[in-house]
Amino acid sequence: MRQFLLACASVAALACAAPHAMAQGEGWSLEKAAEPYKGSEISVIFLDRPGYRAIIDLLPQFEEATGIKVNYEIVPYENTRERQVLNFTSMGDLTIALVDLVWIGEFAENGWIVPVEEFTADPEITDPKLNLQGFFPLLLDAFGTWDGTVYGLPFDNYSGLLFYNRCMLEEAGFDGPPDSWAQLKDEYGPKLTKDGKFAFALQSRRGETQSADSFMRVLWPFGGSLLNDEFRSNLMSEGSQAGLNFRQELMQYMPQGIVSYDHNEAVNALAQGQVAMITEWSSFYSTLADPATSTLGDCLAVAPEPEGPAGRLPALGGFSLAVASQAPEDLQKASWLFIQWATSEDIARAYVDAGGVSGRTAIYEDPEIKEKYQFVEPMVASWQKGVPEFRPRFPAWPAISEIVAEWGTKIMLGEVTVENGAKEIGQRMEQVLDQEGYYGGDKALLQ
């Protein structure tokens, strides 16, 4: 809560500078602002996901308007943090940081990214229509803000949604999706798991998929969490244990080998009619709706993630784009122009139509967008309330993620019990946090 209030104060302060920028920026245009940087080349890492393919499709517009060349490399998610950290620590060529929800603390505390206020103070390079308050507050806080300071603008943001095969559910006697996790398991699971098909698939491959998309997904809705307020393990709490045990029980209604399923495997299982339901990121809607990659057709339907005893607390994921501090000043400014453009309200419609997910509120108020894309209303509803620290955003997360991935996988495979696996994760996690200085008062308990 403290961090959220600080973020709100920071956004308000930046918003107060807007009239000055407007006054100074009458007649401001991207083309005019980019004139000093024409011929510059900026660099960023992209992922092989719909949101990045969408911005790549639109890139010629930016490059033609500004004369700034955007060099990008498509890197698998699993390698992206390592590649960026190596680049930043060796003073490499990246001018823009792609900041995952769980990397914001690490990137900010190491000084690898530049606070937005250093650019918004310059009306020559800041669009008077920037409108930071036009982002969903939850997204700007979770993806772009650390310790009350805004560093990045939300880009390619996701919410966990329930994608389902409406036809399979209707054939099994259901007139809609399950409202709760308990209903999914107890009522839908038995009726939809038959004839070589399964009710549900939870992407659980060892790595970040296991730790963030499987393990953490069953903590919050059941009243659990990874850490308590003192940064000690909360995995032995009643809520955490209930969620982890629920996951084990739900596995009987999932395909064999579910522990090897990454996002693509889970999405494909639904797309090809092998499973009836998945909880996946909103960005996969375009894949599931595309006849070239999915057989669902009119059977595709979307709903919010089921609720648990603690309420509906869906997975929160995605990125922000921030200016890399290692870049020379001129390339920092050129990068800031690109970041504003890529996350702007001006291109939000084109970006969404190309398969991206904008973090702007205004685009989702468009009746045509609501009607055209089924995922919009459940996604927007999920962004009204959420947990920014759904996955901890502090610098220690990568090390903890590896621990959770290893032992979360062992739990699912039955190699250890839920209780013993949770204890093992807790002990190892606290060792990492102790070494990082969280228990000695060297670091604030921010996540």
Side-chain angles (χ1 to χ4, degrees):
M1 178 60 72
R2 171 179 174 269
Q3 189 164 350
F4 178 74
L5 293 174
L6 286 170
C8 291
S10 179
V11 172
L14 291 171
C16 288
H20 174 71
M22 182 71 76
Q24 296 294 319
E26 292 179 0
W28 192 97
S29 69
L30 180 63
E31 292 83 354
K32 182 178 179 181
E35 284 179 1
Y37 316 108
K38 190 170 292 186
S40 298
E41 295 191 14
I42 58 178
S43 300
V44 63
I45 284 177
F46 285 158
L47 305 180
D48 186 16
R49 295 183 180 179
Y52 302 85
R53 292 193 287 273
I55 206 67
I56 289 170
D57 287 345
L58 299 176
L59 268 184
Q61 297 180 21
F62 175 80
E63 294 181 337
E64 182 178 349
T66 64
I68 298 170
K69 172 68 175 174
V70 181
N71 296 317
Y72 62 88
E73 181 181 3
I74 297 176
V75 175
Y77 172 82
E78 292 77 13
N79 305 116
T80 301
R81 174 190 162 271
E82 181 182 358
R83 288 284 296 276
Q84 292 190 106
V85 169
L86 179 61
N87 195 280
F88 297 148
T89 54
S90 62
M91 295 299 290
D93 60 348
L94 289 176
T95 67
I96 297 171
L98 178 65
V99 189
D100 191 4
L101 170 78
V102 292
W103 304 336
I104 183 72
E106 178 184 22
F107 285 22
E109 290 189 4
N110 281 293
W112 295 331
I113 50 181
V114 183
V116 161
E117 62 189 4
E118 294 194 19
F119 304 106
T120 56
D122 184 350
E124 297 294 327
I125 57 169
T126 297
D127 188 345
K129 298 186 297 180
L130 171 61
N131 188 20
L132 290 180
Q133 294 176 322
F135 290 104
F136 286 91
L138 176 65
L139 304 187
L140 188 62
D141 178 30
F143 301 107
T145 305
W146 184 251
D147 199 13
T149 298
V150 179
Y151 288 89
L153 303 187
F155 175 78
D156 191 41
N157 308 117
Y158 321 137
S159 177
L161 299 177
L162 180 71
F163 293 97
Y164 64 98
N165 186 321
R166 178 182 52 80
C167 301
M168 287 180 71
L169 266 61
E170 289 178 354
E171 290 170 5
F174 299 107
D175 58 6
D179 290 323
S180 69
W181 282 108
Q183 192 179 25
L184 189 157
K185 176 175 71 74
D186 297 334
E187 299 177 24
Y188 287 65
K191 289 188 177 182
L192 290 164
T193 303
K194 59 183 179 180
D195 301 327
K197 298 184 179 181
F198 298 86
F200 186 68
L202 178 63
Q203 62 282 1
S204 300
R205 185 175 179 177
R206 180 169 171 172
E208 189 81 4
T209 303
Q210 166 63 219
S211 61
D213 298 291
S214 181
F215 191 93
M216 297 299 292
R217 190 176 240 106
V218 296
L219 294 185
W220 293 101
F222 288 83
S225 63
L226 193 65
L227 298 170
N228 61 22
D229 291 341
E230 288 75 40
F231 268 40
R232 298 291 179 176
S233 172
N234 195 43
L235 293 179
M236 295 307 297
S237 69
E238 181 179 351
S240 294
Q241 286 290 294
L244 293 172
N245 276 301
F246 174 87
R247 183 174 67 160
Q248 294 304 105
E249 296 169 6
L250 187 60
M251 284 179 67
Q252 64 187 302
Y253 305 119
M254 301 187 209
Q256 291 187 347
I258 190 66
V259 183
S260 66
Y261 273 45
D262 207 338
H263 298 281
N264 289 338
E265 286 79 13
V267 169
N268 189 59
L270 177 65
Q272 303 307 318
Q274 298 166 1
V275 302
M277 297 174 282
I278 61 174
T279 46
E280 259 294 2
W281 298 116
S282 47
S283 59
F284 284 105
Y285 175 81
S286 57
T287 302
L288 291 165
D290 186 349
T293 53
S294 174
T295 63
L296 289 172
D298 291 339
C299 291
L300 172 64
V302 191
E305 281 199 19
E307 66 178 4
R312 200 183 307 277
L313 295 171
L316 184 64
F319 300 82
S320 67
L321 294 175
V323 175
S325 60
Q326 68 181 6
E329 182 179 354
D330 61 332
L331 296 187
Q332 286 189 12
K333 292 179 178 180
S335 296
W336 172 240
L337 291 174
F338 170 74
I339 291 170
Q340 290 178 92
W341 172 83
T343 63
S344 68
E345 293 178 352
D346 287 344
I347 73 158
R349 176 64 184 259
Y351 181 60
V352 171
D353 282 337
V357 178
S358 174
R360 295 285 185 170
T361 60
I363 183 62
Y364 302 116
E365 296 167 1
D366 185 332
E368 291 184 8
I369 291 292
K370 290 181 181 180
E371 182 177 353
K372 188 174 182 180
Y373 302 107
Q374 293 186 55
F375 73 92
V376 164
E377 293 199 62
M379 181 186 71
V380 169
S382 73
W383 282 349
Q384 303 308 308
K385 178 184 177 183
V387 184
E389 61 276 13
F390 183 87
R391 296 169 283 167
R393 303 178 300 155
F394 49 34
W397 169 252
I400 290 173
S401 177
E402 290 185 11
I403 295 168
V404 174
E406 177 184 358
W407 291 89
T409 298
K410 289 183 177 182
I411 290 172
M412 289 190 76
L413 292 173
E415 296 175 3
V416 295
T417 65
V418 167
E419 182 177 354
N420 289 339
K423 286 180 179 178
E424 193 70 37
I425 292 171
Q427 291 170 359
R428 292 170 181 249
M429 177 172 61
E430 289 185 3
Q431 289 175 0
V432 170
L433 294 173
D434 188 26
Q435 293 170 359
E436 290 284 321
Y438 286 101
Y439 301 144
D442 298 331
K443 288 190 176 181
L445 304 185
L446 296 173
Q447 59 167 323

